[in-house]
Amino acid sequence: MKKRFRQYIIAIVILLINVLAYIQYTGNINKRLETQTQIHLKALIDETTECINIKLEERINAYKAIATLIGNLDDVDMDIINKALRNQADMAGYTDYDLIDMKGMGLEGKGNVSYAENEYFKKASEGKVSMVATEDTFGSIKGIDCYVPVCKGEAVKGVFKVYSTLEQFTELVDIADLGEYGNVFVVMQDGTLISRGYGLDEVDNITMLLQNEKSAKKLVKSMQSRKSGYVSYDSGEAKKYIFYGRTNYNKWYMVSMISAQSVEATNEDIKTDATVFFFEVAMLTIILMLFLIRMVFSESKGNQLNRQRYHIVTRYS
């Protein structure tokens, strides 16, 4: 009897050990999945933000090259320069331009606009490049202005101002090409869209693309306090991640929305290991349960035989 009791105890202990091992292993798997997801998202943030930075830098360098060419021209007819700048417009990705002298006056053919009080003109006249989103009379972002110093040697001779529409800006930084896993946008710190994807002409803020107001507020708050990160939200159809990274310009951010399935697809090996381990534990548990059932059945049958023997002995004694 004591021997059978010890067997029961051993079997139950083994069963409990396996159940606890499975629970612990599952917990570790979930932690590994979370860690791998964070690593993958961090890599996406760094890669995509760097791509945006490179594209913006390439565009600025193209404008700098034009400004340098202008700065090194002596006694060239302004009509020739204007014609050259118009010809460069499509290639360099801008709609309009202006050449500003050191007094802050633009070209006569562009309306003699005064930039004397413009802070970005002032920065450019000190040798600094500025890229800034411009607003229309209703306060909506309408395009991008870039102010580039026109230099001859070390001396600043004027400022080359370039204007691009939001559509041109989106195209010139090749935002669509970066959307392998999801949609990619360039936004201001408050979520205002600078780049515009297809069909988003009426969308002014990245938060308008989120169905969850809580997640929208969390995204904007995170961008205002951190350089990079991500938030997750349930779109109603599937879980999604929104990750963001600060670019090198004007506190603009790269923001991308990606399905959780796309991110977590890289963790299939971990999930497979967990599934295999689950079936191993399940099989071992079934075997232990069958063993316990057999022990109980054998003991019950043995007790029944003993009672029959007892009745036979007492009946004929």
Side-chain angles (χ1 to χ4, degrees):
M1 187 67 181
K2 290 183 178 180
K3 182 178 179 181
R4 289 188 180 278
F5 180 75
R6 284 197 299 269
Q7 290 176 335
Y8 290 145
I9 295 298
I10 292 172
I12 292 172
V13 168
I14 294 174
L15 179 61
L16 289 174
I17 289 173
N18 280 280
V19 171
L20 291 174
Y22 175 72
I23 293 173
Q24 183 178 11
Y25 185 77
T26 302
N28 291 336
I29 286 293
N30 290 332
K31 288 180 181 178
R32 287 175 63 190
L33 286 172
E34 183 177 353
T35 300
Q36 289 299 318
T37 297
Q38 291 176 352
I39 292 173
H40 187 48
L41 283 171
K42 179 66 166 59
L44 284 175
I45 291 170
D46 293 343
E47 178 183 354
T48 310
T49 304
E50 183 59 24
C51 284
I52 296 293
N53 285 330
I54 291 172
K55 291 295 182 179
L56 292 175
E57 189 173 348
E58 285 178 350
R59 191 52 51 194
I60 289 174
N61 285 337
Y63 297 153
K64 282 182 177 180
I66 296 173
T68 299
L69 178 63
I70 295 171
N72 285 291
L73 293 176
D74 293 319
D75 300 324
V76 178
D77 191 298
M78 188 54 66
D79 290 337
I80 297 176
I81 294 178
N82 275 322
K83 184 177 180 180
L85 291 176
R86 285 195 297 270
N87 291 336
Q88 283 290 318
D90 290 337
M91 185 183 301
Y94 58 81
T95 297
D96 200 5
Y97 66 90
D98 207 347
L99 282 175
I100 311 167
D101 63 26
M102 293 303 289
K103 294 180 181 180
M105 293 303 298
L107 293 171
E108 182 178 354
K110 297 293 182 179
N112 279 332
V113 178
S114 175
Y115 298 90
E117 300 302 319
N118 185 301
E119 64 173 303
Y120 302 105
F121 160 72
K122 293 178 181 179
K123 289 181 179 179
S125 63
E126 295 172 357
K128 300 175 183 177
V129 175
S130 293
M131 182 177 283
V132 58
T134 59
E135 298 180 351
D136 59 21
T137 55
F138 300 102
S140 298
I141 302 299
K142 66 174 183 178
I144 306 296
D145 280 342
C146 190
Y147 295 80
V148 181
V150 176
C151 302
K152 184 172 184 180
E154 298 295 325
V156 178
K157 296 175 57 179
V159 174
F160 177 45
K161 173 185 171 289
V162 176
Y163 171 78
S164 302
T165 64
L166 295 182
E167 290 73 21
Q168 286 176 315
F169 179 76
T170 300
E171 184 178 351
L172 67 85
V173 293
D174 292 333
I175 301 299
D177 294 344
L178 300 175
E180 179 181 357
Y181 297 102
N183 298 316
V184 181
F185 306 93
V186 175
V187 306
M188 299 176 72
Q189 201 171 27
D190 63 356
T192 301
L193 284 172
I194 299 175
S195 68
R196 298 293 176 93
Y198 177 75
L200 298 178
D201 294 338
E202 302 302 320
V203 179
D204 294 326
N205 197 291
I206 190 71
T207 57
M208 296 173 66
L209 299 176
L210 308 182
Q211 299 174 1
N212 188 312
E213 184 179 354
K214 183 178 179 181
S215 297
K217 290 181 178 178
K218 184 178 180 182
L219 172 64
V220 173
K221 186 176 180 181
S222 297
M223 287 195 296
Q224 291 173 347
S225 60
R226 301 175 60 186
K227 289 186 176 181
S228 64
Y230 69 90
V231 296
S232 61
Y233 81 105
D234 193 337
S235 66
E237 300 178 354
K239 179 181 176 183
K240 291 187 177 182
Y241 289 104
I242 312 166
F243 60 90
Y244 60 91
R246 183 169 164 178
T247 71
N248 295 335
Y249 301 90
N250 300 330
K251 294 184 179 180
W252 289 350
Y253 282 79
M254 172 285 304
V255 174
S256 181
M257 291 182 289
I258 183 173
S259 68
Q261 185 178 4
S262 299
V263 178
E264 294 167 359
T266 59
N267 300 324
E268 287 301 321
D269 290 341
I270 299 176
K271 293 180 181 179
T272 301
D273 291 343
T275 302
V276 171
F277 185 75
F278 169 77
F279 281 111
E280 289 176 350
V281 172
M283 289 299 297
L284 183 57
T285 301
I286 291 171
I287 292 172
L288 285 170
M289 289 179 66
L290 292 174
F291 175 69
L292 286 172
I293 292 171
R294 182 176 180 279
M295 287 179 60
V296 172
F297 179 77
S298 297
E299 183 174 353
S300 176
K301 187 174 181 181
N303 291 335
Q304 185 178 4
L305 288 173
N306 288 335
R307 283 196 298 272
Q308 290 176 352
R309 289 170 185 164
Y310 174 77
H311 287 302
I312 292 172
V313 171
T314 54
R315 182 178 180 181
Y316 295 100
S317 60

